[in-house]
Amino acid sequence: MENINSLHLIRCLIISLLMSLCNHALQSQEPGKAEEPLAVPVQPLLSHVHRLSEAMEIVGRPLTEKAMQQIAEIKKVDNPGQVLMEVQNLFDPFCIAIVDVAQTGAPKVSRGPASPKLLEQGWRTFLVKVINRHGRTGRLFVESPNAQPLPNAPVSEVDKRWMQISSYDGQPLRPNLSGLAVEYRIVQIFSRDAGSKEAVLEFTVSGDANGDDALIREWRFDEDEDGWNAMNQIKVDAKDGSLQIESTGDDPFMGAEVVSRGGGFVLRFWAKTDVVGIGQLFWWTKDIPYATGNRQTNFILEPNKEHLYEVPFHVEGELAGVRLDPLVKPGKMRIDWIDLHSQQRNENWAQLETEFQCEASTPVTFRVFDEKGLPAFAKFEVRDSEGRIYPAQSKRLAPDFFFQRHIYRGDGEVLSLPPGQYTITCSRGPETLPEVQSLTVGAEPKELLYRVRRWIDPSKAGWWSGDHHIHGAGCLHYNNPTEGVSPEDMMRHIMGEDLKVGCSLTWGPCFDFQKQFFTGDVAPESQYPYLLRYDIEVSGFGSHMSGHLNLLNLKNQIYPGGDSKDHWPTLGLSTLKWAKRQGAVCGPAHSSIGLTSFIGRLPDTEGKDGDNLLPNFQIPAYDGIGANEFIVDVTHRVPGADGKLVSAVDFISTMNSDRIAEWNMWYHVLNAGLRVAASGETDFPCMSGERVGIGRVYAHVDGRLTFDKWVQSIADGRSYVSDGFTHLIDYRASAADGKQVVDVGVNGSELKLEQPKRVRFSAKVAALYGRQESDSPVHQKVELIVNGYPVQSVDVNCDGSLKDVTFEIPLVKSCWVAVRAFPNAHTNPIYVVIDEEPIIGSVDSVRWCLAGVEQCWKAKEPFYAKSELNEARAAYRHARLFYQRLLDEHAR
Amino acid sequence: MEFRLRLKPWCCLVIATIGVVQFSMPATDRLSDQRCPDANPVAFVGRTGIRSLSKLKRAEIRQVLGVIGKLLVANNPTDLEDPGEFGDLARQVAEVKTRKELQALLVPYVLLQVKINPESRVKISPSGSEVMRDKVKLEKDVANRFLLQVDNHAGVTSTLNISAIDLSLQPPQTADWITAIVVNEDGISSKMSGQKIEYLVVELLAKESGLKEVRLVGDAGQGTQDLGFRATADLLIDVK
Ligand SMILES: [Zn+2]
Ligand SMILES: [Zn+2]
């Protein structure tokens, strides 16, 4: 431990140096410590304060706007002493305890000024103030004997064990103390009961120079199981840096040998499971070297979230091994790390006796009705008068997500709230007008009534909203190998956002679990008109490196030759061929990824970039997982369900990644005469976890909505993409003489003219923005786009009303024409074909596509399997010839 | 062990000229036709030779050796005959048998671990290294180089960017007292190769001394919008 000591010395030196440099040393706020000045360098203190405010937001205990303003003001202060004082004035009132860290041994702990109010069956968040004169950088542990596990507890203990306590050490906080002389940590406390309760809070800082809480053993799983062995009904595997555990029966257990003298220990591990129930810890000793029933303790599983498990136990004799029975039934658990600490509470732990007042909570029933008066689901953000979010954000279970502030509740569902004043923001997706309600909760059960008010309903005109790319597993909240959420959970989110169609795509993480929800039809959990269908995103396997693919409306979800994901081809076109043969509707996902860094500009295109850089002629690096191999695949025609040739790609995904890059790719391939639709997606919760349906597509369906009709409209381009706040309904073209009318997406979206003519383009446009920000009207520019460039535009008032917008232009040459409201919405194109001439919107676009094929090959060749290289070469050669032929024809 | 690299401004020219040599050469095969063996830090490894490796590709070792060379060049440009710590490291790296050994050797030099998930979202976290955990020690006005350990599950080949944000400003904005760049020069790219694991080099240059905190933000060319602060790492920096 010499190294640590010298590090401590250096730290102490630095701090004392800083203190001597700082003339603005401040008297400590603590009574009895007035003689010792505390000084904290301003920059790291303010950075800590900023992170603390972020973390409080994350745990659902956000600072008030006033407090945030105060922080902004403090940041302007020059005097370090004043900064420290003001920071303390701001944060001390949140503190349940003040911990003065000693150089060695137990810290000194006193009660902080926070009111010790807890919530029955709910979590409360407090701060702990850490005064750290010695610059220690261990971890602060806060525990309580009152938080010991209940299962199998002696009867006499049950009443005492009324609480749970947990420290929030996740991002953006660091797990260890910073070494700054003052900092704040977050603890959260749950109460089982109402009324006045007593608790002992215990504090220590790890890494004491005296070798205090001695870390006995760390287990890490970067390379192998690090000594943990499967013992019974269990599979144990080190994967992705974690221990992946699969229980196959009711009594799974695994063990590891570890030697230490006896006494108090605590086994800490960071884990995630979806299993509800308890786990058990057994241990054995040198003299009795096997597990026995009287040497075990239990812990409660915290399903569906990352959790720091802390299991205290006491060993008589010399410890020789531990046995973890992580689950008591079949299921899975992921453990990231395991630490065994000896617990020397007497020496290095300080105790603080505290009396808490636990408020009883009152059931509040949601009454939710749609605009027709029918029971509905909606979205609610519930805050109390101090801005605290309910249910406690960081402690949520599915279907409520910890990274969302809001929850979704249906008519008749209940939320328990302590008496008080609440502000509840109610809404149901972008087509509704959000409404803020005040609710006073007393001792009696209460109802909250929310009637949805819409500003628009495109479905009345047959335009049905959807999001073709959402996930029930993986990314932001669901980590491997927990299995993700259920179709019921996905339905709740879809209905709460009034998203008519949701495509929940199974992908890499949890593939083998989520694949069970695929039925080849809409999920049985669907509730008309809300449709949920499970399909596939090729992501994290197969051809993902050349660009992720959304495969919608599959009949079989798994590529032939296996029953999972590891055998899929690496060439995207092969996947598309298989999917199209079964009649699927396909397109690349999160299109802009790989298209936003550039290798240079297409020669001789200076001055040709359009407004908003649409189109532009920078050649992308094709170095990501968006619409990359797309530039090749879109030139291919492959056998469809009936054997006839169809386009290998139906759509390009938009509305969730860099808008310019998405639409630029789309414009260029349209300009090369290729007919591909745009669709809208979110890729929830990967590109965003805020909500499903951030990126949307509104597809027109005749008669009753079915998934088959809806997805066919996606393929046909009978749709517009939108963020839900701008709508471009009923886009159509008519020759000025009125003889021919074409609706977008019908009959190939093609307006055939024998000769140049004036053509009228019309749509019903509505937008709603800026209601809160200002009273003055906000405008949205609505443009008519011909071959990628705007030719006419009107400004539309964003007041939510539906307006007829008409453009009329003379057309002399075949072209594609669409209506755009940058960057919020875009119709699919109508193809105007004059005298049967093919559409070549711009030769430069064709050159851009050809350059893209070359660059894409350079970027992707290393990722194609050797056995598929010939096929890949052929696929790219085909694309090259396709674009080259267009150039040759044009030259002629 | 304390780890620090120094790059004095006047040395830049020297380094720029030797950088080319350093990376035009595969580590073992072409030692004889090196143009400037003394200027080549990897030569020390070359003399030892890369052992035949069962689990690791030679290409992977070469990539790592090249990266160490970049640390060395920055560290001690005037005395390439005696690369000291880095020569030893390079020799040890050339002899590793498993990826675990390799990673263990490099841990003290890793500033950040970068994980790119299959959806190409970037997660960065401070390295597990004891040396870096509490605070990173830098010297003022000196370019300090560290390793980035990249786990690339998306196989993206875009440029990795690291930016430095000062949270103490209102609102938080690009720090003016420190710059962070992923080194992109001859022989070492800030572009990822698409391999599952690789090492890149990040350079920190602090213009003010004192104890400060910086938020490093990683992105792989698709923005950093992320609710969970996954793409950020907050580090205490002690600038002498
Ligand atoms: Zn996805
Ligand atoms: Zn994806």
Side-chain angles (χ1 to χ4, degrees):
Chain A
M1 289 281 129
E2 264 178 4
N3 281 347
I4 290 181
N5 275 333
S6 60
L7 273 175
H8 273 273
L9 259 174
I10 293 167
R11 258 179 235 126
C12 294
L13 278 171
I14 292 164
I15 284 173
S16 52
L17 182 71
L18 282 166
M19 284 167 70
S20 62
L21 283 174
C22 173
N23 294 323
H24 305 281
L26 179 89
Q27 297 300 94
S28 158
Q29 300 294 295
E30 303 323 309
K33 305 247 167 60
E35 72 284 1
E36 289 179 58
L38 279 175
V40 187
V42 169
Q43 197 274 354
L45 177 64
L46 289 177
S47 301
H48 167 69
V49 161
H50 187 90
R51 282 189 292 113
L52 188 65
S53 69
E54 289 174 334
M56 289 175 79
E57 173 111 26
I58 284 179
V59 301
R61 201 331 172 186
L63 292 172
T64 59
E65 233 164 75
K66 193 179 150 213
M68 291 305 287
Q69 272 165 17
Q70 274 174 275
I71 293 178
E73 290 303 315
I74 297 172
K75 284 181 172 182
K76 294 181 197 154
V77 174
D78 275 340
N79 179 327
Q82 195 188 341
V83 169
L84 179 57
M85 188 169 66
E86 290 188 17
V87 166
Q88 293 179 118
N89 289 345
L90 186 59
F91 287 102
D92 283 4
F94 294 94
C95 292
I96 191 73
I98 295 162
V99 178
D100 194 337
V101 182
Q103 184 146 25
T104 61
K108 290 194 194 92
V109 183
S110 55
R111 258 295 268 118
S115 154
K117 277 191 185 159
L118 296 179
L119 172 59
E120 179 194 8
Q121 291 293 313
W123 290 87
R124 279 283 186 241
T125 299
F126 298 95
L127 296 184
V128 171
K129 181 179 186 179
V130 180
I131 297 173
N132 190 358
R133 292 166 211 276
H134 307 285
R136 289 190 44 194
T137 56
R139 280 185 69 176
L140 175 72
F141 290 108
V142 187
E143 295 174 5
S144 170
N146 305 89
Q148 296 230 351
L150 271 177
N152 287 354
V155 179
S156 59
E157 282 282 302
V158 169
D159 194 48
K160 277 190 211 156
R161 299 185 180 185
W162 58 272
M163 73 180 320
Q164 291 177 55
I165 186 162
S166 85
S167 303
Y168 183 84
D169 292 336
Q171 280 273 66
L173 298 183
R174 280 189 291 254
N176 287 58
L177 294 177
S178 65
L180 295 181
V182 174
E183 73 179 287
Y184 297 87
R185 308 295 306 183
I186 294 177
V187 292
Q188 295 175 285
I189 302 176
F190 174 92
S191 171
R192 180 191 61 194
D193 307 328
S196 180
K197 304 294 280 185
E198 279 185 6
V200 175
L201 303 182
E202 298 174 317
F203 300 82
T204 193
V205 175
S206 69
D208 189 278
N210 286 345
D212 66 327
D213 85 329
L215 177 68
I216 307 289
R217 174 76 155 89
E218 288 184 318
W219 287 275
R220 298 295 181 267
F221 310 110
D222 296 322
E223 200 71 13
D224 55 27
E225 293 77 29
D226 202 11
W228 284 92
N229 297 308
M231 294 171 80
N232 192 44
Q233 297 182 343
I234 198 167
K235 276 192 273 181
V236 180
D237 247 327
K239 212 176 128 200
D240 299 334
S242 303
L243 201 60
Q244 315 280 358
I245 297 164
E246 184 168 358
S247 152
T248 53
D250 295 335
D251 190 19
F253 54 87
M254 58 178 196
E257 289 182 358
V258 57
V259 176
S260 171
R261 66 188 161 84
F265 293 89
V266 60
L267 190 80
R268 294 195 173 91
F269 58 99
W270 183 261
K272 191 166 174 185
T273 181
D274 61 342
V275 172
V276 181
I278 60 163
Q280 292 178 306
L281 174 73
F282 289 76
W283 57 93
W284 63 88
T285 51
K286 267 219 170 124
D287 48 335
I288 315 173
Y290 45 87
T292 53
N294 59 345
R295 297 187 297 180
Q296 63 105 355
T297 184
N298 300 326
F299 52 92
I300 302 170
L301 298 175
E302 297 284 342
N304 296 320
K305 59 182 170 182
E306 313 257 349
H307 187 74
L308 174 65
Y309 291 87
E310 302 188 274
V311 189
F313 61 105
H314 196 274
V315 177
E316 309 279 341
E318 193 170 346
L319 179 69
V322 287
R323 190 184 109 181
L324 201 52
D325 301 24
L327 311 165
V328 288
K329 56 173 104 162
K332 289 185 184 175
M333 179 181 253
R334 186 201 78 222
I335 301 183
D336 288 353
W337 51 260
I338 305 176
D339 286 353
L340 179 67
H341 295 258
S342 87
Q343 244 185 341
Q344 301 191 353
R345 299 245 159 177
N346 299 340
E347 286 173 32
N348 291 329
W349 287 77
Q351 297 199 325
L352 180 68
E353 280 176 31
T354 306
E355 186 159 328
F356 288 96
Q357 301 304 321
C358 308
E359 290 175 279
S361 55
T362 304
V364 174
T365 304
F366 288 85
R367 303 309 315 268
V368 189
F369 302 100
D370 69 11
E371 68 279 9
K372 297 184 207 95
L374 299 171
F377 276 81
K379 170 163 116 180
F380 301 94
E381 186 181 306
V382 182
R383 287 170 184 270
D384 68 12
S385 54
E386 292 180 54
R388 292 181 290 209
I389 301 274
Y390 293 81
Q393 207 174 324
S394 60
K395 296 290 181 187
R396 286 180 180 182
L397 304 176
D400 301 337
F401 297 149
F402 72 83
F403 53 84
Q404 295 179 328
R405 283 186 190 159
H406 54 265
I407 53 173
Y408 297 95
R409 287 291 180 275
D411 183 48
E413 294 187 332
V414 175
L415 179 69
S416 284
L417 295 171
Q421 193 65 38
Y422 294 86
T423 305
I424 301 178
T425 309
C426 320
S427 65
R428 193 175 64 142
E431 296 166 23
T432 61
L433 296 167
E435 178 177 308
V436 179
Q437 294 198 17
S438 293
L439 182 75
T440 307
V441 176
E444 293 301 308
K446 190 101 187 178
E447 283 193 350
L448 174 92
L449 174 66
Y450 173 49
R451 282 181 199 283
V452 173
R453 282 195 307 139
R454 287 180 169 279
W455 64 274
I456 193 161
D457 188 354
S459 72
K460 278 189 175 159
W463 296 84
W464 298 87
S465 63
D467 183 339
H468 72 241
H469 187 172
I470 59 180
H471 295 296
C475 270
L476 204 52
H477 49 263
Y478 309 105
N479 283 329
N480 197 13
T482 46
E483 316 285 331
V485 301
S486 67
E488 288 86 353
D489 299 330
M490 296 307 286
M491 273 313 290
R492 175 181 294 264
H493 285 246
I494 287 166
M495 292 191 291
E497 291 292 339
D498 188 28
L499 188 65
K500 299 302 194 305
V501 181
C503 303
S504 182
L505 305 182
T506 296
W507 63 297
C510 316
F511 186 96
D512 290 328
F513 182 81
Q514 290 281 325
K515 73 184 182 191
Q516 67 174 299
F517 301 126
F518 175 84
T519 59
D521 203 338
V522 292
E525 292 78 7
S526 302
Q527 298 179 31
Y528 190 86
Y530 300 99
L531 306 179
L532 171 68
R533 195 190 203 272
Y534 280 79
D535 271 307
I536 296 289
E537 180 192 9
V538 181
S539 165
F541 62 93
S543 56
H544 65 131
M545 304 256 194
S546 55
H548 293 185
L549 292 170
N550 298 309
L551 310 177
L552 312 178
N553 210 31
L554 289 166
K555 292 195 171 63
N556 297 302
Q557 64 174 334
I558 295 183
Y559 196 83
D563 62 357
S564 185
K565 61 186 166 56
D566 296 327
H567 64 286
W568 290 52
T570 58
L571 179 66
L573 184 61
S574 304
T575 310
L576 289 169
K577 278 181 183 159
W578 160 75
K580 288 306 296 179
R581 191 72 180 91
Q582 43 172 312
V585 172
C586 310
H590 33 69
S591 301
S592 82
I593 303 179
L595 305 180
T596 52
S597 64
F598 304 101
I599 57 161
R601 192 183 176 82
L602 191 72
D604 307 320
T605 55
E606 278 72 20
K608 292 183 177 173
D609 290 354
D611 290 351
N612 299 314
L613 292 176
L614 277 170
N616 73 70
F617 294 90
Q618 297 282 349
I619 302 167
Y622 291 84
D623 54 4
I625 53 169
N628 287 197
E629 196 191 287
F630 170 80
I631 196 73
V632 171
D633 298 337
V634 74
T635 66
H636 283 263
R637 293 179 68 76
V638 299
D642 56 5
K644 286 188 194 140
L645 289 183
V646 295
S647 299
V649 181
D650 298 284
F651 64 86
I652 181 169
S653 296
T654 65
M655 302 311 295
N656 65 332
S657 61
D658 183 286
R659 198 60 28 83
I660 292 169
E662 292 170 348
W663 288 359
N664 193 49
M665 173 58 87
W666 185 40
Y667 285 10
H668 284 308
V669 296
L670 290 173
N671 276 349
L674 293 160
R675 299 191 181 183
V676 61
S679 187
E681 65 169 27
T682 300
D683 192 4
F684 173 92
C686 293
M687 298 300 284
S688 171
E690 191 189 327
R691 57 189 165 87
V692 299
I694 292 182
R696 295 174 164 227
V697 56
Y698 285 80
H700 194 275
V701 165
D702 294 320
R704 186 179 163 91
L705 174 69
T706 68
F707 185 83
D708 284 346
K709 287 196 263 181
W710 183 85
V711 81
Q712 188 57 48
S713 291
I714 300 298
D716 293 342
R718 199 180 181 187
S719 62
Y720 60 92
V721 296
S722 163
D723 59 4
F725 296 98
T726 296
H727 296 270
L728 305 168
I729 294 170
D730 291 345
Y731 172 49
R732 61 166 51 168
S734 50
D737 55 19
K739 283 186 186 146
Q740 289 154 286
V741 178
V742 170
D743 287 311
V744 72
V746 179
N747 294 328
S749 297
E750 197 172 89
L751 178 67
K752 280 194 174 122
L753 303 175
E754 280 164 13
Q755 61 205 42
K757 257 189 190 158
R758 290 186 75 79
V759 181
R760 188 175 301 141
F761 296 90
S762 62
K764 297 189 177 74
V765 179
L768 188 72
Y769 291 104
R771 287 176 69 84
Q772 284 86 7
E773 291 89 53
S774 71
D775 295 335
S776 57
V778 176
H779 294 276
Q780 167 78 56
K781 192 184 209 182
V782 176
E783 299 166 297
L784 188 72
I785 305 294
V786 177
N787 291 343
Y789 293 89
V791 295
Q792 284 186 14
S793 72
V794 292
D795 273 349
V796 169
N797 196 342
C798 298
D799 57 4
S801 67
L802 208 56
K803 298 165 189 70
D804 287 311
V805 168
T806 304
F807 302 99
E808 193 177 309
I809 51 165
L811 291 175
V812 296
K813 178 174 164 279
S814 297
C815 57
W816 61 270
V817 185
V819 173
R820 164 174 97 185
F822 183 86
N824 306 313
H826 210 304
T827 70
N828 267 298
I830 287 176
Y831 305 101
V832 180
V833 175
I834 300 176
D835 192 22
E836 297 186 352
E837 279 296 314
I839 297 170
I840 293 297
S842 152
V843 177
D844 292 322
S845 288
V846 182
R847 292 169 54 224
W848 185 90
C849 291
L850 184 58
V853 174
E854 300 306 339
Q855 175 56 27
C856 192
W857 177 252
K858 268 187 213 155
K860 304 303 181 195
E861 186 195 356
F863 301 116
Y864 294 122
K866 275 219 174 81
S867 58
E868 295 175 55
L869 266 179
N870 280 336
E871 225 177 323
R873 274 193 202 101
Y876 279 72
R877 192 181 314 123
H878 173 274
R880 220 172 272 132
L881 289 174
F882 175 88
Y883 295 119
Q884 190 58 54
R885 205 195 62 228
L886 291 180
L887 292 178
D888 295 345
E889 279 169 14
H890 186 268
R892 254 181 268 131
Chain B
M1 175 173 53
E2 186 181 298
F3 167 66
R4 198 159 62 231
L5 295 169
R6 302 174 184 86
L7 179 61
K8 305 226 162 49
W10 54 263
C11 299
C12 290
L13 195 64
V14 180
I15 290 152
T17 45
I18 63 175
V20 183
V21 180
Q22 182 181 341
F23 278 86
S24 59
M25 181 202 63
T28 53
D29 317 5
R30 289 176 42 207
L31 272 183
S32 53
D33 53 46
Q34 274 177 67
R35 282 159 289 171
C36 177
D38 285 346
N40 194 320
V42 183
F44 292 91
V45 177
R47 283 165 203 157
T48 316
I50 300 177
R51 296 283 167 83
S52 70
L53 302 158
S54 47
K55 288 194 181 169
L56 284 174
K57 289 185 204 144
R58 289 161 72 99
E60 190 172 340
I61 295 291
R62 277 191 198 132
Q63 197 263 340
V64 171
L65 288 173
V67 162
I68 293 169
K70 283 295 167 186
L71 296 179
L72 165 61
V73 167
N75 179 42
N76 198 353
T78 52
D79 190 10
L80 289 168
E81 265 302 292
D82 177 21
E85 182 188 344
F86 293 97
D88 292 344
L89 178 66
R91 270 187 286 273
Q92 286 171 306
V93 163
E95 289 179 29
V96 295
K97 301 273 183 310
T98 65
R99 189 167 289 123
K100 186 179 186 178
E101 273 181 57
L102 177 67
Q103 288 180 2
L105 269 178
L106 297 178
V107 159
Y109 307 93
V110 174
L111 182 73
L112 298 173
Q113 282 169 333
V114 180
K115 284 200 172 130
I116 319 272
N117 87 351
E119 284 286 89
S120 170
R121 309 303 289 168
V122 178
K123 179 180 177 186
I124 69 175
S125 47
S127 84
S129 148
E130 279 279 312
V131 186
M132 312 283 180
R133 193 196 66 191
D134 294 343
K135 48 181 90 97
V136 179
K137 295 181 180 112
L138 301 183
E139 203 166 322
K140 189 177 162 231
D141 294 328
V142 168
N144 301 263
R145 290 187 172 194
F146 305 91
L147 296 182
L148 298 171
Q149 184 192 320
V150 182
D151 283 11
N152 188 347
H153 293 280
V156 290
T157 53
S158 48
T159 300
L160 181 70
N161 296 306
I162 302 279
S163 47
I165 307 293
D166 187 340
L167 296 181
S168 75
L169 301 176
Q170 182 62 26
Q173 51 206 268
T174 304
D176 55 6
W177 58 273
I178 189 167
T179 54
I181 52 161
V182 181
V183 175
N184 187 25
E185 57 191 37
D186 268 327
I188 179 93
S189 177
S190 57
K191 257 170 91 78
M192 293 174 280
S193 66
Q195 297 302 309
K196 269 231 161 78
I197 292 190
E198 69 182 307
Y199 289 89
L200 301 182
V201 176
V202 65
E203 184 174 289
L204 300 182
L205 178 62
K207 292 163 215 146
E208 290 170 23
S209 55
L211 184 65
K212 287 169 182 286
E213 188 181 300
V214 68
R215 169 165 290 177
L216 297 181
V217 184
D219 86 88
Q222 54 145 329
T224 53
Q225 160 229 22
D226 198 308
L227 290 161
F229 297 94
R230 289 177 181 219
T232 67
D234 300 296
L235 302 177
L236 265 181
I237 307 272
D238 191 2
V239 187
K240 285 280 183 299

